[in-house]
Amino acid sequence: MDEFHKIRRLPVYVFEQVNRLKAQARAAGADIIDLGMGNPDLPTPRFIEEKLIETIGKPRTNRYSSSKGIQGLRRAQANYYERRFGVKLNPDTQIVATLGSKEGFANMAQAITAPGDVVMCPNPSYPIHAFGFLMVGGVIRSIPIEPGPEFFHAMERAVAHSIPKPIAVILCYPSNPTAVTADLDFYKDVIAFAKKHELFVLSDLAYSEIYFDDNPPPSVLQVPGAVDVAVEFTSMSKSFSMPGWRMGFAVGNERLIGALTRVKSYLDYGAYTPIQVAASHALNSGDDCIAEIREVYKKRRDVMVDAFEKAGFPIPAPTASMFAWARIPEKFRHLGSVEFSKLLIEKAEVAVAPGIGFGEQGDEYVRLALVENEQRLRQAARNIRRFFETADKTLHNVIPLSA
């Protein structure tokens, strides 16, 4: 029997191979230190939980909610954008609440894409950025993730040689998976390019509050006139340690927000009302807890970079996001990121995310998430060091190692 049409467009989820091996190792008693999935481990701040509990006890909060988000939540997001970025938004026409930024991206793709439409997407990039469009019949044209001249050269080539011409470009800074950041001058150039070539700009700003060097990542909407062509997606998962709450937003261009709102009105009734009320409270009162969460990730970053360097696995220090993007040590690089990730589970009891899961340009890299405490990060480095020190003896009959 033939596979379903949309399923044929989706490759086997690369991360599932590593997850399966991780589960088998744990079932056999291994203590796997999991740096693979970007699943925040910090507890949700208590004041947010208390607002949830308080709201659950009120009448009518168990009913269907608003698909686009209750008005108080959209106002809170507008206030956050004005406070953080100096960007004024209309809560009624320029903001829609989403079930996390991932759902927002996928449904935006559904809202604006016709079969065969071309979208420019960084490679490597978070999977939904590309596959959200592929699932609805779009075509992906890869561009570099690093801001700079080659980024714009690639966009020029895509516009010149794609038939039909691209409809949109996707941005993600701080980047998942690479942690690379962009400045406001880069965004100004992107907006100018988009207006010249009649493109939409879809910006994923999920890691806006996880930065380490007193250099807050900007919003593309800070560029004058950006709202004419751009929509930005944010998430409360990392900023407030609320991953399972599934609370995010799309903000910006009214036409795009209107299209997303209409699609969502057919698909869901929005998040549970007490979650939306608690999220509003977090946005209005949570600046201090954001700073505390950021400091935890900074300390973990510093420990990881130092400990892994000593273990013989150097990691460039990320300036933002909750991830590090590390090139596979030369001895193992020819294996590719999936096989190297499997080896780390089997031989070092450490799980990482294989870079190829984010695009073919990531196959010489792995992504490490800052989701274990400092003690566990040091233990991971010790495990890896022991594995590296014995690899020549233990693996020479199993896999070929480069000299």
Side-chain angles (χ1 to χ4, degrees), residues 22 75 107 158 160 225 241-242 255 401:
K22 181 172 62 180
R75 281 201 304 265
N107 280 327
S241 199
M242 297 170 60
R255 182 184 175 201
L401 295 179

Side-chain angles (χ1 to χ4, degrees), residues 276-333:
Q276 296 194 49
V277 172
S280 306
H281 186 50
L283 287 167
N284 289 328
S285 310
D287 289 353
D288 288 343
C289 83
I290 289 175
E292 291 170 4
I293 290 170
R294 183 187 304 129
E295 185 61 25
V296 170
Y297 284 123
K298 182 180 186 300
K299 290 178 179 177
R300 291 179 177 183
R301 177 203 67 165
D302 293 344
V303 166
M304 175 184 281
V305 169
D306 178 66
F308 277 61
E309 174 76 30
K310 293 174 180 175
F313 191 179
I315 295 174
T319 59
S321 87
M322 58 182 293
F323 303 112
W325 183 244
R327 198 171 189 198
I328 299 169
E330 187 175 357
K331 179 179 291 188
F332 303 96
R333 200 170 296 156

Side-chain angles (χ1 to χ4, degrees), residues 62-262:
N62 65 318
R63 297 189 174 190
Y64 292 132
S65 192
S66 168
S67 177
K68 70 183 293 185
I70 60 175
Q71 190 173 53
L73 177 61
R74 287 181 278 115
R75 281 201 304 265
Q77 176 70 348
N79 290 337
Y80 163 76
Y81 254 77
E82 186 167 7
R83 204 167 60 241
R84 171 70 165 80
F85 303 111
V87 172
K88 292 187 177 182
L89 296 165
N90 184 329
D92 295 324
T93 61
Q94 294 180 310
I95 298 177
V96 59
T98 62
L99 305 179
S101 58
K102 187 175 184 179
E103 176 268 325
F105 233 101
N107 280 327
M108 180 64 80
Q110 181 158 264
I112 70 173
T113 311
D117 277 350
V118 177
V119 174
M120 294 180 286
C121 180
N123 187 341
S125 190
Y126 188 54
I128 197 62
H129 294 159
F131 287 102
F133 288 91
L134 289 171
M135 281 191 285
V136 294
V139 176
I140 293 297
R141 183 86 182 224
S142 291
I143 56 177
I145 186 62
E146 290 280 347
E150 185 51 39
F151 181 94
F152 291 98
H153 292 160
M155 286 208 298
E156 290 280 6
R157 290 193 296 270
V159 169
H161 300 296
S162 297
I163 300 175
K165 180 178 72 68
I167 64 166
V169 58
I170 296 168
L171 307 177
C172 180
Y173 304 101
S175 164
N176 179 6
T178 70
V180 67
T181 58
D183 60 23
L184 199 55
D185 285 340
F186 170 78
Y187 283 146
K188 289 177 182 177
D189 290 341
V190 170
I191 294 300
F193 185 96
K195 288 189 171 185
K196 176 181 177 181
H197 296 286
E198 298 182 324
L199 302 169
F200 290 121
V201 176
L202 307 177
S203 170
D204 187 345
L205 194 62
Y207 302 94
S208 60
E209 298 298 351
I210 310 300
Y211 58 90
F212 307 126
D213 298 329
D214 298 321
N215 187 21
S219 161
V220 70
L221 296 179
Q222 289 177 249
V223 177
V227 75
D228 297 337
V229 295
V231 159
E232 195 154 63
F233 298 83
T234 58
S235 168
M236 299 184 73
S237 296
K238 285 76 181 179
S239 303
F240 294 92
S241 199
M242 297 170 60
W245 298 55
R246 306 315 302 134
M247 197 74 257
F249 301 91
V251 308
N253 178 267
E254 290 189 9
R255 182 184 175 201
L256 292 175
I257 294 299
L260 175 58
T261 301
R262 181 180 294 189

Side-chain angles (χ1 to χ4, degrees), residues 264-281:
K264 281 178 61 61
S265 71
Y266 281 89
L267 298 177
D268 69 68
Y269 285 109
Y272 182 39
T273 295
I275 287 179
Q276 296 194 49
V277 172
S280 306
H281 186 50

